[in-house]
Amino acid sequence: MPLAGLAGLPHLFRNRVSLRFPAGLLGTERLAALKLGAEVVASFVPLTAQIDFDYVDPSSGVANAAVEPFIAINHAPSNVVLPVGVDGDRIEMRSTRRVNSADIRSVSNVAILQAVTATLAQPGPGQIDRVVDVPGLVAHALGTPPSLMHAAIGQEPVAIVHDDGAVLTLD
């Protein structure tokens, strides 16, 4: 039985994972996203897994849907609902066990990691409403986040890395 939350992702990514970056990032934002992507791969993807690298257009609606296990950097696929929404330098938390609702502005220099599932319609004979869950990780770099390499990340579904090794967790 795989572990829960972020700690369970290496098991779910053991065969193959799609690494998705938004097209059009420039300069320091692109560098921060690529660095975060490299550290996420080092932390959550087994060495034997096949990694498919893709640039995606986050504004493309249904065409941006995740269809296989994925890691999305600085965006969420269209078929994912995030417990912690990210909009520029603002984060919105909703419906976590500890926080009913929060809107925090002017956030910088953090990495937000969220173990999520994408809902994918897969109708079959006699099951026109059948959906399957596709496991994934959505990671956002706000400003220049600290390294993940010393962060104590466990079975929580959401971790906000805000200093070298310092983690705020939400469940």
Side-chain angles (χ1 to χ4, degrees):
M1 178 87 149
L3 297 172
L6 293 163
L9 292 174
H11 175 76
L12 300 173
F13 296 159
R14 69 189 176 279
N15 296 321
R16 183 180 200 152
V17 65
S18 173
L19 181 58
R20 303 161 50 106
F21 279 86
L25 293 180
L26 300 173
T28 57
E29 184 181 19
R30 182 173 190 212
L31 181 61
L34 289 168
K35 180 178 181 266
L36 178 61
E39 291 193 1
V40 164
V41 167
S43 299
F44 295 99
V45 179
L47 290 173
T48 58
Q50 178 178 331
I51 301 170
D52 299 321
F53 184 95
D54 293 306
Y55 282 106
V56 298
D57 178 359
S59 65
S60 64
V62 176
N64 181 34
V67 297
E68 62 184 333
F70 66 93
I71 296 169
I73 304 295
N74 280 15
H75 77 285
S78 60
N79 54 342
V80 170
V81 176
L82 295 175
V84 176
V86 178
D87 183 12
D89 67 351
R90 178 176 156 220
I91 60 175
E92 299 173 287
M93 292 176 262
R94 30 188 191 285
S95 303
T96 69
R97 285 192 325 175
R98 295 182 195 170
V99 178
N100 184 34
S101 170
D103 187 341
I104 304 169
R105 297 171 187 267
S106 300
V107 178
S108 64
N109 303 329
V110 300
I112 302 173
L113 309 175
Q114 302 182 70
V116 297
T117 54
T119 305
L120 184 62
Q122 279 195 337
Q127 298 177 314
I128 59 170
D129 295 332
R130 179 176 178 252
V131 294
V132 296
D133 289 335
V134 177
L137 169 62
V138 174
H140 282 89
L142 278 70
T144 304
S147 176
L148 304 180
M149 303 322 302
H150 303 289
I153 297 170
Q155 294 188 49
E156 60 278 340
V158 178
I160 300 173
V161 181
H162 57 91
D163 199 1
D164 191 31
V167 180
L168 169 68
T169 61
L170 299 172
D171 52 6

